[in-house]
Amino acid sequence: MRKKQVKPTKVEGHYRRYSPESLLKAFEAVKEKKVPVKRAARQFDVPENTLRDRVKGRIDAKNFCIGGETTLSREEEEVLVEHVEVMGQLGYGYTNTKLQQIAGELAYEMGKKKTNKAMSNNWLYGFMNRWQKRLVSLSPRSLDSYRAKCSTPEAVSSYFRNLQDTLKRYDLLDKPQNIYNLDETGLQPDHRPPNIIAKLNSKPQAITSPRSTTTTLIGCVNAIGNYVPPFFVFKGKRFNPDLMESTSSGARGEMSESGWSNGDIFKKYLTEHFLPYARAGADTSQPILIIFDGHSSHISPSLIKWARSQNIILFVLPAHTSHILQPLDVSLFGPFKSFYYSGCASFMQENVGKTITRFDMARLACKAYLKSMSPLNIQAGFRKTGIYPLSQDVITMEKLFPAEGFREENPTDKVKALKAGKEAVEEFVKLKLEPRNQAMTEAKDQSVCPTCKCSSEVQKKQTKPKPSGRAITEDSYLTELEDPKPSTSGTHISKPVTEIDKEVSDTEFEEEIPEEELCCICKKWSPPNLADHPGIKLINWAYCDRCTHCVHLAFCSSVRVVRRHTSFLCPCCEA
């Protein structure tokens, strides 16, 4: 009878029990302090033979990889690691496949591979293991391009300067109970199903409600940790009390044709819902600061005048920066959505065969709202956004790096310089200014366009100040809001321009605009052939790289779009 073979047992062992830092310290002790190899190995707890191989020069002293020699040296891999880190901070991180491709191309260019094929999976696993203290594979959060573009250091610094001035002016630096943040979020009856326990090797399904119209929730919290009850905006014309059945105390609802808030609803929210809670038992002479985004429905002269009469300061966040500067977005709406989706999943399990309608949404959202709006979460939101305690330092440079990809030709060099320190930044700026100074010198030599004979000095036109990053209840902003000036960013046309419109534009509007600001081709602010293009809603401008004058795109030039980092010549200079 054949004897059954015994399965060998796997012996767990550790290939290396020491750290690379310990080996490097032992090597430096031998080389610099003349410590014997045996004593250094015992002192730093590293293998004697391993240390001796590096001292004798048999192995590179900085090579700590497990196994044989790697395709790329440690110095070359470190350059690759730094590049991967910078690209991830810019918002364009590499996947595993892409990292293998660029590593293969790098090895080929350096003559270490015969082809530029991607590196193998074994190389990838070894590379990630060697640099596990600096790199990790994870799922990134999506960031809208507008948010990335607008979150610049200059915008954030200006916001904090204005916020500090406002808090000092109204004596609110030590009054967190009077500093509020207000924001809106949309709700749908469908939800993200949670993980479930199911049969092995199966693909289970989770029943969700159909996606329908959006319901808006307006939330508001203050820096001391209190919250204002939720306010819902449903789509429709006539309010049905059943929509608010079994909701939490203090919750209210309103109707709009779109399901989103508008100017009238926002003002009604402030006057009838927010103010009774914010002023409950408080001195009406004490100013209240409300920080919110600058949506058009939140800004109007009538709303600003009402806020001033109630001693309320309306402070608008910089555009598209709520993901780093708004407490509700940073630490509250995320947990709220998680609790809401969990509540929707529980509702579907408890009510088999039914779906979630808008009559259930307010009840489910109120439960999630109460769970997420804890004092700890609220205070953490104001702390992480630097509002209270007031501190710009909490907004680290890493959060602002993605903006460099939209305003620098070499954003990786800019990020590396910012991470390296002040001297590296100064060197980067010096190299960046050299071609710009040369271009300005050439522009001075050609002060007159050789074809159209127009002056190259273009005056920047004064326009209505943007509300972003400032208090809009100040006298200066209210005055300029009621007396707007034309902007050079474009003219919105809601219908084809008539002869009367063109006559008014030529006689009244264009007389106020300096000649240098008009199109250097048609000499007008609005193109004379605008009526022939009823489908065009926006007049785009572009500045000529040679004569530095503006021209109408698509109307006075055959070019329709001028992209970033591309040159453009007006028809006069191109001829």
Side-chain angles (χ1 to χ4, degrees), residues 408 414 417-418 422-437:
E408 294 289 346
K414 175 71 173 293
L418 291 172
K422 181 179 179 181
E423 294 182 358
V425 173
E426 292 176 350
E427 183 65 22
F428 175 81
V429 173
K430 180 180 178 181
L431 294 175
K432 182 178 176 63
L433 290 178
E434 285 181 358
R436 181 178 297 178
N437 294 335

Side-chain angles (χ1 to χ4, degrees), residues 124-136:
L124 175 66
Y125 301 147
F127 176 81
M128 296 299 294
N129 186 48
R130 289 190 292 274
W131 298 97
Q132 59 183 336
K133 292 186 177 181
R134 293 181 59 177
L135 298 179
V136 64

Side-chain angles (χ1 to χ4, degrees), residues 27-89:
F27 175 81
E28 293 174 349
V30 173
K31 283 295 186 180
E32 298 176 2
K33 300 179 181 180
K34 306 302 179 180
V35 178
V37 173
K38 190 172 184 179
R39 185 190 303 172
R42 187 168 56 252
Q43 178 182 352
F44 292 96
D45 195 20
V46 297
E48 181 182 342
N49 291 335
T50 302
L51 177 59
R52 195 178 300 279
D53 287 340
R54 283 159 175 75
V55 173
K56 294 292 186 180
R58 301 189 187 106
I59 300 177
D60 183 9
K62 296 184 178 180
N63 182 14
F64 307 114
C65 61
I66 299 175
E69 186 177 354
T70 57
T71 304
L72 300 174
S73 67
R74 184 172 180 82
E75 290 77 10
E76 293 163 350
E77 284 192 351
E78 190 167 8
V79 174
L80 181 60
V81 168
E82 184 178 358
H83 177 71
V84 170
E85 288 176 339
V86 171
M87 293 301 293
Q89 291 172 329

Side-chain angles (χ1 to χ4, degrees), residues 261-273 297 300 302-303 306:
S261 174
N262 53 43
D264 294 335
I265 291 178
F266 185 67
K267 186 174 182 180
K268 185 175 182 179
Y269 169 84
L270 291 178
T271 56
E272 300 181 10
H273 190 70
S297 63
S300 65
S302 61
L303 179 65
W306 171 85

Side-chain angles (χ1 to χ4, degrees), residues 156-190:
V156 173
S157 297
S158 176
Y159 158 74
F160 274 101
R161 284 196 303 270
N162 293 336
L163 179 60
Q164 184 177 18
D165 293 342
T166 302
L167 292 175
K168 287 182 177 179
R169 185 180 304 115
Y170 296 98
D171 191 24
L172 292 172
L173 284 171
D174 58 346
K175 295 180 175 61
Q177 69 275 12
N178 293 325
I179 303 175
Y180 286 84
N181 175 225
L182 184 151
D183 195 19
E184 304 173 1
T185 186
L187 299 175
Q188 291 284 345
D190 65 333

Side-chain angles (χ1 to χ4, degrees), residues 320-340:
H320 306 294
T321 60
S322 60
H323 63 292
I324 58 175
L325 297 179
Q326 180 148 247
L328 282 166
D329 275 354
V330 170
S331 67
L332 295 169
F333 277 161
F336 164 73
K337 287 294 182 71
S338 297
F339 286 126
Y340 174 72

